[in-house]
């Protein structure tokens, strides 16, 4: 049983009720509590708890936590999977970049709505907290800082997905909200507004919290570093990267150094420990969305956002075969005799796991026939588990899943939920953010040991990958980079490659490509090669100036009578 504070008071469907799409911006928790009918410290605390619950209130339609649809399937990491292209066809539209009408599809409009509901929860808590004195509630300033952290998170995610969004604070009345445009601020100004919430959290939160799951000063510093890294890649109105702001990069270095120098976080000894429930909330997890099971409720506070993504043919799972890694991703794990990636030739032919050497992380990420599946050597992955190999091939995603024997696993009808946390920020990300900033500042020598920390951990993460007979299904060869030849261009390529291998199928890939300004080049080159292997991709094409971001939901434009402006190309 998990005893995390976040779900000890509120469950998503009990105390809180839903809202229609028309009033999402004016949404606040209804029913027993609201910021208007409660002014006590206990009620403010309950509203703050509701705000924490709000950032995890998603599902397969309208995702907020796992971005596997928006960030993995839209990239070169993965295919939609499932029972053919017509099975949840909307995801196929994202994969083909065919979401050319703003009124097409329901998934991203629900994501928009869900995040603004979460923002409204944070704002409702802020109104209640602001009405109290420090004497009435000694934790007032800490809780305000936490709420601003949560609000910053939701605004950040919306900006990453949609770019042009309305920025909503607790000081706005209902009338003010209806007059707030999604293009009120420039791109840079909007980043700064969101950043103000994280800076407030840095200034007002303790370095450590006594309760698991609460934001702290260091998680806020890590999140502001992430924001400044995105902001550093300056974009014009058509999403083209026009320059890299070195002042912002230096901020990334300073902020990430605060996290690193604290000594509070570190890499897990084994990469696997980031992806199993038994070792969650470990030293690598800087901020995670918390879930629970066996908590006194009917089925627990579970995440179903990846509930379609378990192996379809495996009797212990049975649904539904979505989110299959691409052939390109599998090939990217190949290594040369020097134990380094094959940057230029990796995709010339498909990887042969029997003869070629690979990066260890491939067997933590991809389910492969005959290889250990999710660290259970007694039930190796089988091609018979693949739902539609004729369309999507025979690889399967693995990081997001939990074994059926795990205490975190629960099957509700055909769908699968888990109480495994979903990490928003990890220490490996902090190391690579700092490395990236150093490289773009022309200080690539400072990035080398950071990237090599990641590679050293990968090389050592083999203990859970042994087959039942004690051997390995793959031939591992992962070495650290040498200082010789470590130019800025080479370091940049290595950093971008390392991010792909480290976070593959976790969703950052698409958003990385967009902020680097290489999405069109990378994804169309991927499609040119991949559509030969996977004919279902024959009509897929990424269009620069449009496909970097999702369209603003048409229903929101209509509701605001055209106040919201549509993104280019839609």
């Amino acid at each position: 049983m998990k005893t995390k504070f976040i779900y000890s008071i509120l469950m998503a469907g009990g105390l809180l009720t839903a809202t229609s799409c028309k009033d999402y911006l004016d949404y606040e928790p209804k029913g027993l509590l609201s910021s208007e009918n409660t002014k006590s410290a206990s009620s403010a605390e309950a509203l703050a708890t509701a705000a924490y619950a709000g950032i995890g209130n998603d599902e397969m339609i309208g995702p907020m936590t796992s971005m596997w649809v928006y960030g993995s399937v839209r990239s070169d990491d993965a295919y939609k999977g499932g029972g053919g292209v017509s099975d949840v066809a909307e995801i196929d539209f994202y994969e083909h970049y065919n979401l050319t009408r703003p009124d097409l599809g329901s998934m991203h409009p629900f994501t928009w709505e869900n995040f603004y509901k979460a923002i409204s929860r944070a704002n409702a808590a802020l109104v209640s907290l602001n009405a109290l004195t420090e004497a009435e509630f000694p934790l007032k300033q800490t809780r305000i800082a936490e709420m601003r952290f949560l609000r910053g998170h939701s605004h950040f995610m919306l900006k990453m997905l949609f770019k042009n969004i309305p920025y909503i604070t607790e000081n706005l009345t209902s009338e003010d909200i209806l007059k707030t445009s999604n293009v009120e601020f420039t791109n840079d100004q909007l980043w700064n507004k969101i950043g103000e919430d994280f800076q407030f959290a840095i200034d007002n939160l303790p370095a450590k919290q006594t309760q698991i799951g609460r934001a702290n000063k260091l998680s806020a510093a890590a999140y502001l570093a992430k924001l400044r890294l995105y902001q550093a890649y300056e974009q014009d109105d058509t999403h083209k990267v026009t320059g890299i702001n070195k002042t912002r990069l230096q901020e990334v270095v300073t902020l990430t150094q605060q996290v690193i120098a604290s000594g509070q976080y570190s890499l897990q000894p084994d990469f696997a420990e980031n992806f199993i429930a038994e070792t969650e909330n470990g030293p690598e997890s800087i901020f995670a969305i918390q879930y629970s099971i066996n908590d006194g409720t009917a089925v627990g506070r579970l995440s179903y956002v990846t509930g379609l993504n378990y192996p379809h043919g495996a009797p212990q799972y049975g649904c539904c075969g979505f989110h299959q890694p691409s052939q390109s991703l599998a090939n990217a794990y190949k290594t040369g005799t020097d134990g380094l990636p094959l940057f230029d030739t990796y995709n010339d032919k498909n990887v042969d796991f029997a003869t070629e050497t690979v990066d260890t992380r491939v067997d933590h990420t991809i389910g492969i026939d005959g290889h250990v599946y999710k660290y259970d050597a007694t039930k190796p992955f089988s091609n018979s588990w693949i739902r539609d190999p004729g369309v999507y091939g025979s690889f399967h995603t693995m990081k997001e899943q939990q074994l059926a024997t795990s205490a975190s696993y629960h099957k509700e009808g055909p769908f699968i939920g888990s109480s495994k946390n979903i990490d928003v920020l990890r220490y490996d990300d902090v190391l690579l953010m700092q490395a990236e900033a150093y490289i773009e500042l022309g200080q690539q020598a400072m990035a080398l040991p950071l990237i090599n920390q990641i590679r050293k951990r990968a090389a050592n993460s083999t203990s859970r990958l042994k087959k039942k007979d004690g051997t390995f299904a793959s031939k591992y060869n992962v070495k650290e980079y040498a200082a010789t030849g470590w130019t800025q261009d080479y370091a940049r390529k290595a950093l971008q490659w390392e991010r792909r291998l480290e976070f593959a199928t976790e969703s950052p890939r698409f958003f990385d490509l967009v902020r680097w300004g290489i999405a069109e080049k990378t994804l169309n080159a991927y499609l040119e090669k991949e559509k030969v292997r996977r004919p279902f991709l024959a009509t897929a094409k990424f269009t620069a100036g449009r496909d970097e971001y999702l369209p603003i939901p048409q229903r929101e434009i209509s509701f605001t009578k055209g106040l919201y402006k549509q993104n280019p190309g839609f």
Side-chain angles (χ1 to χ4, degrees):
M1 174 179 176
K2 293 187 181 181
T3 57
K4 303 165 187 168
F5 84 96
I6 292 177
Y7 307 111
S8 61
I9 302 175
L10 304 177
M11 292 298 115
L15 182 59
L16 309 174
T17 60
T19 184
S20 71
C21 65
K22 290 186 177 181
D23 60 356
Y24 70 90
L25 286 176
D26 200 25
Y27 169 88
E28 66 177 25
K30 306 290 184 182
L32 299 179
L33 293 175
S34 79
S35 58
E36 292 304 314
N37 62 25
T38 58
K39 298 296 183 184
S40 69
S42 61
S43 298
E45 183 80 307
L47 285 168
T49 300
Y52 271 102
I55 63 170
N57 273 353
D58 62 350
E59 54 185 336
M60 292 169 276
I61 304 298
M64 304 166 68
T65 51
S66 171
M67 295 282 112
W68 71 271
V69 172
Y70 304 135
S72 186
V73 172
R74 278 203 297 166
S75 78
D76 47 1
D77 270 7
Y79 317 126
K80 174 181 74 69
V85 296
S86 63
D87 189 9
V88 192
E90 183 173 340
I91 303 177
D92 185 72
F93 297 154
Y94 294 114
E95 185 168 14
H96 279 76
Y97 313 106
N98 283 344
L99 202 73
T100 55
R101 294 199 338 252
D103 60 343
L104 185 64
S106 60
M107 186 172 288
H108 66 278
F110 276 112
T111 293
W112 174 286
E113 181 177 335
N114 284 339
F115 272 122
Y116 276 111
K117 286 181 179 180
I119 289 168
S120 290
R121 286 184 181 222
N123 285 336
L126 285 167
V127 170
S128 184
L129 289 161
N130 288 334
L132 299 171
T133 65
E134 295 279 356
E136 291 172 317
F137 189 29
L139 287 173
K140 171 184 175 177
Q141 200 70 359
T142 297
R143 292 292 181 265
I144 288 174
E146 290 176 34
M147 295 304 97
R148 292 191 64 171
F149 176 93
L150 297 181
R151 186 173 70 187
H153 162 70
S154 292
H155 275 126
F156 177 92
M157 295 298 291
L158 283 162
K159 180 154 180 34
M160 186 177 71
L161 291 165
F162 297 95
K163 188 175 184 178
N164 298 310
I165 61 166
Y167 180 74
I168 308 299
T169 70
E170 79 278 17
N171 298 317
L172 298 179
T173 66
S174 299
E175 292 74 22
D176 293 334
I177 288 171
L178 291 176
K179 297 175 184 177
T180 301
S181 169
N182 69 322
V183 291
E184 176 184 4
F185 300 110
T186 67
N187 191 52
D188 198 56
Q189 288 171 339
L190 184 53
W191 281 127
N192 286 334
K193 294 300 292 184
I194 300 170
E196 289 173 6
D197 276 346
F198 293 128
Q199 187 60 58
F200 185 91
I202 292 170
D203 295 339
N204 291 278
L205 285 175
K208 292 185 178 181
Q209 295 266 29
T210 57
Q211 293 175 309
I212 294 173
R214 291 195 185 276
N216 63 39
K217 180 187 297 288
L218 298 173
S219 55
Y223 218 138
L224 184 57
K226 183 176 181 179
L227 182 149
R228 296 303 186 207
L229 188 58
Y230 272 72
Q231 185 179 17
Y233 294 87
E234 297 171 337
Q235 293 183 359
D236 63 18
D237 291 341
T238 61
H239 319 321
K240 182 179 180 181
V241 174
T242 57
I244 304 178
N245 188 307
K246 294 188 181 301
T247 300
R248 296 303 182 198
L249 293 174
Q250 189 57 57
E251 289 181 74
V252 174
V253 171
T254 301
L255 289 161
T256 53
Q257 190 56 33
Q258 289 179 27
V259 180
I260 294 168
S262 73
Q264 191 164 315
Y265 301 101
S266 61
L267 296 176
Q268 291 273 21
D270 191 325
F271 190 54
E273 292 165 351
N274 289 313
F275 309 110
I276 51 179
E278 291 72 20
T279 49
E280 64 184 10
N281 290 323
E284 194 161 347
S285 179
I286 293 175
F287 184 74
I289 296 170
Q290 308 282 318
Y291 292 94
S292 63
I293 196 168
N294 298 327
D295 54 13
T297 61
V299 296
R301 164 77 174 188
L302 302 177
S303 170
Y304 286 93
V305 70
T306 60
L308 295 175
N309 300 356
Y310 283 74
H312 189 72
Q316 63 267 43
Y317 305 113
C319 182
C320 292
F322 282 74
H323 196 196
Q324 291 185 233
S326 69
Q327 184 66 58
S328 170
L329 177 62
N331 293 343
Y333 284 99
K334 289 192 287 189
T335 59
T337 56
D338 58 1
L340 300 178
L342 303 177
F343 296 135
D344 300 318
T345 61
Y346 81 99
N347 211 23
D348 289 351
K349 64 182 183 68
N350 294 342
V351 58
D352 183 343
F353 290 100
T355 62
E356 296 182 272
T357 60
V358 293
D359 189 299
T360 316
R361 286 169 288 188
V362 71
D363 282 322
H364 294 274
T365 306
I366 303 178
I368 303 164
D369 189 48
H371 294 223
V372 173
Y373 177 74
K374 202 62 187 183
Y375 318 122
D376 181 1
T378 67
K379 297 182 181 65
F381 190 83
S382 169
N383 280 349
S384 66
W385 296 4
I386 297 294
R387 187 173 180 184
D388 199 338
V391 175
Y392 297 112
S394 296
F395 297 132
H396 197 75
T397 187
M398 191 158 56
K399 283 181 177 178
E400 61 208 1
Q401 290 142 31
Q402 299 301 303
L403 289 174
T405 54
S406 170
S408 67
Y409 177 95
H410 178 79
K411 193 169 184 180
E412 189 75 10
F415 303 118
I416 296 167
S418 168
S419 65
K420 167 70 173 68
N421 294 344
I422 295 179
D423 284 311
V424 175
L425 291 164
R426 290 204 312 260
Y427 188 70
D428 52 355
D429 199 5
V430 168
L431 293 178
L432 291 177
M433 285 192 287
Q434 186 174 95
E436 183 175 340
Y438 276 136
I439 290 167
E440 297 305 334
L441 286 167
Q443 302 172 36
Q444 58 271 11
M446 301 289 287
L448 180 61
L450 298 167
I451 294 174
N452 279 341
Q453 281 188 57
I454 302 293
R455 294 189 65 76
K456 182 178 180 180
R457 192 265 296 272
N460 292 334
S461 298
T462 60
S463 63
R464 288 178 168 86
L465 303 179
K466 289 181 181 179
K467 298 193 296 182
K468 196 173 181 180
D469 63 5
T471 65
F472 296 109
S474 298
K475 298 178 182 296
Y476 303 126
N477 186 20
V478 185
K479 296 293 193 298
E480 298 174 30
Y481 289 101
T484 304
W486 188 253
T487 64
Q488 184 183 42
D489 286 344
Y490 186 83
R492 181 182 295 116
K493 185 179 292 186
L495 179 281
Q496 292 178 356
W497 209 267
E498 205 63 28
R499 285 194 63 85
R500 186 181 190 190
L501 301 187
E502 184 78 358
F503 304 115
T505 70
E506 295 182 63
S507 83
R509 177 64 173 171
F510 180 83
F511 309 112
D512 283 346
L513 295 175
V514 169
R515 68 185 174 83
W516 292 331
I518 61 173
E520 179 189 29
K521 177 182 176 182
T522 303
L523 295 176
N524 283 333
Y526 154 75
L527 291 169
E528 182 179 359
K529 190 87 172 182
E530 208 75 2
K531 64 181 57 176
V532 177
R533 298 165 172 155
R534 305 284 180 254
F536 81 94
L537 289 170
T539 61
K541 181 182 178 181
F542 183 94
T543 300
R546 182 192 71 192
D547 293 329
E548 291 89 349
Y549 296 94
L550 297 170
I552 307 301
Q554 183 59 45
R555 67 188 189 186
E556 313 304 345
I557 295 174
S558 299
F559 178 66
T560 60
K561 298 179 174 60
L563 178 65
Y564 291 177
K565 304 304 179 186
Q566 186 53 265
N567 284 333
F570 293 102

